[in-house]
Amino acid sequence: MEDCIFCKIIKGELPAVKLYEDDLVLAFMDISPINYGHALVIPKDHHTGATSIPEDVSGRMFKVATKIGVAAKRTLDYDGFNLHLSDGTCAGQVVMHAHLHVVPRGVEDNFHWNWRHVEYSDNGEESMCEIAEKILSKLKI
Ligand code: AMP
Ligand code: ZN
């Protein structure tokens, strides 16, 4: 992809502070972190979203991301980490080359996901199952 900034980082045309690289994935520091140590793990091939990433690559992304999370915990005095992937603009994806965020977290880091909890109309007794049935009708693994 000609104008993809993450492809340019992979090709060495844009600078990045790299943490890990192999034949399938690249991990580097996020330039605008939620917390210090925030990193990104990306597939070396251009995939806009997560759904087209082959299983061996997505598996490697997850493995590398968890190892970076643990290393950040041990060396930067964090208590845990979030792994986060936004698939699609509506989900908050800004850079359209799929990437897995590793966000180191501390008990008192004063960051809160803007999480909400909607309720099923009947406390989930039937409506949740109906929705699950719809998902299952298209779920092929
Ligand atoms: P998202 O909103 O999930 O698409 O996240 C894109 C992330 O890429 C943001 O956290 C940015 O700070 C990060 N980012 C954008 N450009 C660069 C860059 N050149 N080097 C490192 N991180 C970047
Ligand atoms: Zn790309």
Side-chain angles (χ1 to χ4, degrees):
M1 288 289 284
E2 291 281 303
D3 53 359
C4 170
I5 56 170
F6 287 177
C7 281
K8 285 185 177 173
I9 286 174
I10 289 163
K11 286 187 274 183
E13 295 170 6
L14 280 177
V17 176
K18 295 181 182 178
L19 292 171
Y20 176 80
E21 183 169 16
D22 63 23
D23 53 329
L24 301 180
V25 305
L26 172 68
F28 56 98
M29 301 294 279
D30 193 299
I31 205 167
S32 184
I34 289 174
N35 281 325
Y36 295 143
H38 181 166
L40 302 171
V41 186
I42 64 174
K44 279 224 167 142
D45 289 333
H46 181 91
H47 294 273
T48 302
T51 53
S52 63
I53 302 174
E55 197 171 330
D56 57 337
V57 181
S58 56
R60 185 74 59 84
M61 287 169 67
F62 190 84
K63 180 179 174 181
V64 170
T66 53
K67 292 209 172 221
I68 290 171
V70 169
K73 256 179 77 172
R74 288 189 178 152
T75 57
L76 299 172
D77 206 22
Y78 284 111
D79 305 298
F81 56 90
N82 288 111
L83 299 186
H84 177 89
L85 187 149
S86 301
D87 191 290
T89 306
C90 66
Q93 184 176 6
V94 174
V95 178
M96 302 315 264
H97 180 130
H99 49 279
L100 186 56
H101 293 261
V102 188
V103 184
R105 298 301 307 277
V107 173
E108 295 177 2
D109 67 5
N110 209 25
F111 175 72
H112 305 280
W113 296 108
N114 191 13
W115 207 278
R116 69 172 183 182
H117 299 278
V118 293
E119 288 181 14
Y120 288 102
S121 53
D122 53 358
N123 287 327
E125 282 178 25
E126 285 185 25
S127 55
M128 188 163 61
C129 293
E130 281 171 21
I131 290 168
E133 290 296 336
K134 285 183 181 169
I135 294 170
L136 281 170
S137 72
K138 291 289 180 192
L139 187 63
K140 292 186 177 60
I141 296 175

